[in-house]
Amino acid sequence: METITHTSVKWVYTKEFGNKLIPIIYFDGQITFTANQWIHSLIEQGYGASKLERYIRALTHFFSFYNALLISTQQEPEYRKLFAMFIDAKKYGTDSYCSSTSHPFLDNLFLNWQPSSISNIKSNYLNLLNEFDKWQSTYHGAERLNPSEERFLTAHEKYQDFKVREKWDPLLHLSNSRFQTKEVSKTSLQEHNRFKRVQVKAAGTFPPDRFIEIIESLKNPRDKLLCLILGAGSLRGSEPLHLFHDDFVGKDENGQLKIRLDDPEEGEYSWEDHNGKIITGTRATYITQNFKNEHLGDFSPLRNLSARTDYKKRNSGLSAGFKGMTFTDDDNDEDNDGEHFLFWCDPILGRYAYKVYEEYRDTYINMNPHTNRPNPKGWPHHPWFFINIDKANYGMPFSVSGFKQMWNRAKKRIGLKGKRLGRHSLRHLFGFYCANVLGLDLGEVQTLMHHSDPSSTRVYFSLSLKNIRQKLVDAFEGNTVALAVTKISKDFKFKIPRSWF
């Protein structure tokens, strides 16, 4: 049976990428602007040829299916079912390979696709097409140069719009009820307030009485500073990796390390251009404009840098997530000038953090510890403060995976194990310490942890029937009130080593 090809790909050399082959995608014999723009962005993120081929295959197969369906039925496919029908074509096969009698539209597409497994469909088509969905919606204003591509993307955008409006799960069609409407009972006991239950998720909290011990066990000031920022300063595991060199702005009035915080993409930032002019823009713009690093060569991972949130999980060395922070403006604080800074849960820990910061800066940032020479101007060719300090990768941005490995080694060193004590357990330590030891109220802890929703903060107040009953018994009997979640007394204090002062 004849197979009709609706797409093609040519690999060419370009001056922009040196001696590297890059793909050019054609839809119906015409260069497709949007698809090539997307692939170009993947190349800039460092994707290799094998990964690019997977993305190209997913996109070209989807377009081929759409075009074949359009030709076969002589009508625009219903956009609500387009993705579901595409998965059917992959699942059951098409034309002479079709294994289903209940999908007649698959018999005359001239694609000759053999059936694929669900796992293959999800990993090599659905997941990759969903990435294109997100990218295409972000750059919705891209110029459309190809008429056939415009028809395809119009249907694609309708699907995206429908998914957003109806909260439709794009994987729903993999179940037997993909075209059915789910009926929801309008009467439920849970709709009555007196039947609602307040659920408070128990959090994995790092033991407060082991915090100083694990800090002391760390081998270098970089690792100590990272863990102090999480456990005594409340940041999440990936958030310190977004901090710039000049986000460390010295001491505050109490001698604590002062660290500026902001969104790694949208946060406002000012810098000086090559003409000495002060430019104000976003942090993402600062990175893209000032760290092209064209002198480093085509294959350097530091070429054409962007915010670390852009790299997702496809570049483990640069990728770093960011959940978001909510800041409370203090109109009476004239010194901050609209900026936001890290809170320390204990001034002694904040002052020690400054001491560790100075050691890290002087030992690993200003000097190369492997040559004992000052680092040159412009080094390390990226804005981020936390770097790899081993000889082989010295100066590269410190990675999330490197942070996790360091943390796991530290736990093992002091005899602690367990998935519930990941890096995020340090943030839980901060929350429980502020709520249960310092006795701060819900609103105060919410501000300190930059939560937008107080329900996120409530978990740190140990609300459970068991805890409340025990506290009533302890209070009645005159005992010292113990904090059930953290297993510490209310008069707990960190045992600070003399060397920290």
Side-chain angles (χ1 to χ4, degrees), residues 1-265:
M1 185 177 185
E2 181 184 3
T3 299
I4 299 177
T5 303
H6 302 274
T7 64
S8 61
V9 181
K10 294 183 179 179
W11 291 77
V12 300
Y13 290 101
T14 66
K15 291 183 179 180
E16 181 180 359
F17 293 97
N19 295 323
K20 189 175 182 180
L21 279 170
I22 67 164
I24 304 295
I25 305 173
Y26 294 80
F27 284 176
D28 282 344
Q30 301 181 57
I31 293 178
T32 163
F33 178 79
T34 306
N36 282 302
Q37 187 185 36
W38 182 51
I39 296 300
H40 185 277
S41 72
L42 298 180
I43 295 172
E44 288 185 330
Q45 294 177 44
Y47 286 31
S50 60
K51 285 187 177 180
L52 291 176
E53 287 174 349
R54 289 181 60 221
Y55 283 85
I56 292 168
R57 180 175 63 247
L59 195 56
T60 55
H61 281 211
F62 189 33
F63 175 79
S64 293
F65 172 76
Y66 164 80
N67 224 25
L69 199 62
L70 189 65
I71 294 171
S72 174
T73 61
Q74 295 296 307
Q75 61 182 4
E76 192 80 24
E78 185 178 348
Y79 62 86
R80 295 189 181 193
K81 299 180 180 179
L82 183 58
F83 265 43
M85 295 170 77
F86 173 71
I87 299 307
D88 282 339
K90 286 295 178 185
K91 181 178 179 180
Y92 299 111
T94 69
D95 308 296
S96 61
Y97 293 105
C98 183
S99 61
S100 172
T101 58
S102 58
H103 297 78
F105 70 93
L106 299 176
D107 292 334
N108 195 34
L109 296 178
F110 294 92
L111 294 173
N112 287 319
W113 288 348
Q114 297 186 32
S116 298
S117 66
I118 293 298
S119 59
N120 177 58
I121 293 169
K122 291 175 69 175
S123 62
N124 288 317
Y125 294 97
L126 259 188
N127 292 344
L128 306 187
L129 288 171
N130 282 337
E131 286 191 35
F132 176 73
D133 269 346
K134 295 176 183 178
W135 181 89
Q136 205 282 130
S137 63
T138 301
Y139 297 91
H140 196 269
E143 185 179 2
R144 313 275 174 75
L145 301 181
N146 189 324
S148 61
E149 179 190 14
E150 186 172 347
R151 291 198 306 273
F152 160 66
L153 288 176
T154 299
H156 194 63
E157 289 157 9
K158 288 179 180 178
Y159 154 76
Q160 180 75 6
D161 179 59
F162 170 74
K163 185 178 71 172
V164 172
R165 288 186 291 107
E166 300 293 336
K167 296 183 179 179
W168 182 57
D169 179 3
L171 299 178
L172 185 62
H173 49 269
L174 296 178
S175 69
N176 294 328
S177 60
R178 62 190 173 127
F179 294 136
Q180 297 178 13
T181 301
K182 180 180 178 182
E183 294 184 1
V184 180
S185 173
K186 294 184 179 180
T187 303
S188 170
L189 288 178
Q190 293 184 351
E191 292 181 1
H192 301 286
N193 288 332
R194 65 194 185 98
F195 289 102
K196 283 190 174 181
R197 298 179 64 184
V198 178
Q199 295 184 352
V200 180
K201 183 179 179 181
T205 304
F206 191 83
D209 56 339
R210 307 293 302 275
F211 181 57
I212 303 300
E213 181 184 357
I214 200 166
I215 296 295
E216 284 281 85
S217 75
L218 296 169
K219 302 296 185 181
N220 61 73
R222 179 202 64 188
D223 297 347
K224 290 183 179 182
L225 183 56
L226 280 167
C227 292
L228 283 167
I229 289 174
L230 267 59
S234 89
L235 293 196
R236 297 178 180 90
S238 299
E239 290 174 347
L241 304 184
H242 294 286
L243 295 172
F244 292 170
H245 288 256
D246 62 355
D247 285 330
F248 294 80
V249 293
K251 298 180 182 178
D252 65 11
E253 62 276 10
N254 295 312
Q256 303 175 109
L257 177 60
K258 195 171 184 180
I259 303 176
R260 179 171 49 228
L261 304 177
D262 217 328
D263 187 285
E265 293 185 25

